[in-house]
Each structure stands twice: as C-alpha cells, then as structure tokens.
Amino acid sequence: MEEQVVERSVRRSGALVDYLARHLRRRSESALGPLGLRSRHLVALTVLRERGAITQQDLARELVLDGTNVVGLLNELESRGLAERRRSAEDRRRHVVSLTDDGVALLCRAESALAAVEDEVFAALDPAQREQLHELLTAATAAASARIC
C-alpha cells in the first residue's frame, strides 16, 4: 500500500509547476529589472497594446485592480512616457489610457528578454514539447478560470 502512495505522489505535477513558476518568475524579474519594469508594468502595457485606448476604469477591471492601485501604476508608466491619460471626448469625467510609442518599444524589448528567459528555462524541451506544454497549460488555465468565475 505504501508503494502506491509514493508512486502516486511522484506523479503529481503541482510541485513541479510551482518550482518552474518560481524559477521563471525569478529569472523574469532579473530580465525586466534592467528595463525598469516589474511584472505589473508588463501586464498593463500588454493590455494597453492589445486593447488599444481604454478607459482607466476598464483598465482597472481588466487588471483586476482597484482604482487607487491603477492610478499609482499609471503614474509610474506616465512618468516614464510609456502610457498617457487624456480626458475622454465623450465623457470628460473619464480618462482614456493609451500606450505611447516608447511604451511599445519597451514592451517589445521586454518580450524579447522574456523569450530568452523561457528559452533558458525550457531548454531541455524540443519545440514540439514546448508547444505541447503551452497547449496543456492553456487548457489547465482555461479550466481553472472557468471554475473561478
């Protein structure tokens, strides 16, 4: 009976995923540091690139942050010229946030740095295995997200 418990625990993936996530996070933070970015900056810049101009309120919803935290985040991005806020033409009470050309350029540099980190962390996997891992993680993430909502 004890052998079955050990064998089943060896097949568990959670600890491996956690280990890789922590390793990937540490390496990613090291790669983003010289660019003056943290992961929260990267996520916000990515959302702004994908969504285009977006209201500050919608950005807060998209990032799952309260308004105060979004203001602080946008202050940091704006002070570096990576994003800009302007009053909405339709509703002067709202701010519309957009990515600047400098923001696009820095985001591209950050994504290149992060691609190099992934290449390092997943070097033991061939391209087909990396694609399979991505598909499996995408499916697991979608299933987890569906349970949360």
Side-chain angles (χ1 to χ4, degrees), residues 37-38 40-49 52-63 65-86 94-100:
L37 293 174
R38 294 175 38 209
R40 67 191 212 120
H41 299 128
L42 182 71
V43 172
L45 294 173
T46 301
V47 168
L48 290 172
R49 181 186 58 200
I54 183 175
T55 66
Q56 190 168 312
Q57 186 177 19
D58 287 342
L59 180 62
R61 250 192 307 278
E62 188 86 18
L63 297 175
L65 292 173
D66 68 54
T68 304
N69 289 334
V70 169
V71 168
L73 174 62
L74 289 175
N75 287 344
E76 293 170 10
L77 295 175
E78 257 190 327
S79 71
R80 295 188 55 201
L82 304 175
E84 65 182 6
R85 282 178 279 200
R86 62 187 184 289
R94 294 181 186 262
H95 283 97
V96 175
V97 184
S98 58
L99 194 59
T100 65

Side-chain angles (χ1 to χ4, degrees), residues 2-61:
E2 189 174 315
E3 278 184 41
Q4 282 182 325
V5 172
V6 170
E7 185 176 334
R8 285 180 60 189
S9 68
V10 169
R11 294 180 179 262
R12 299 283 185 221
S13 300
L16 294 173
V17 170
D18 182 57
Y19 170 79
L20 279 175
R22 284 187 283 130
H23 182 61
L24 193 56
R25 187 176 306 113
R26 278 193 307 272
R27 292 290 301 120
S28 295
E29 288 170 355
S30 294
L32 293 175
L35 300 174
L37 293 174
R38 294 175 38 209
S39 61
R40 67 191 212 120
H41 299 128
L42 182 71
V43 172
L45 294 173
T46 301
V47 168
L48 290 172
R49 181 186 58 200
E50 290 174 2
R51 294 280 311 270
I54 183 175
T55 66
Q56 190 168 312
Q57 186 177 19
D58 287 342
L59 180 62
R61 250 192 307 278

Side-chain angles (χ1 to χ4, degrees), residues 20-21 23-24 116-126 129-130 133 137:
L20 279 175
H23 182 61
L24 193 56
V117 167
E118 282 196 25
D119 287 343
E120 175 192 317
V121 172
F122 298 120
L125 303 179
D126 66 38
Q129 290 171 318
R130 286 178 67 169
L133 175 63
L137 292 171

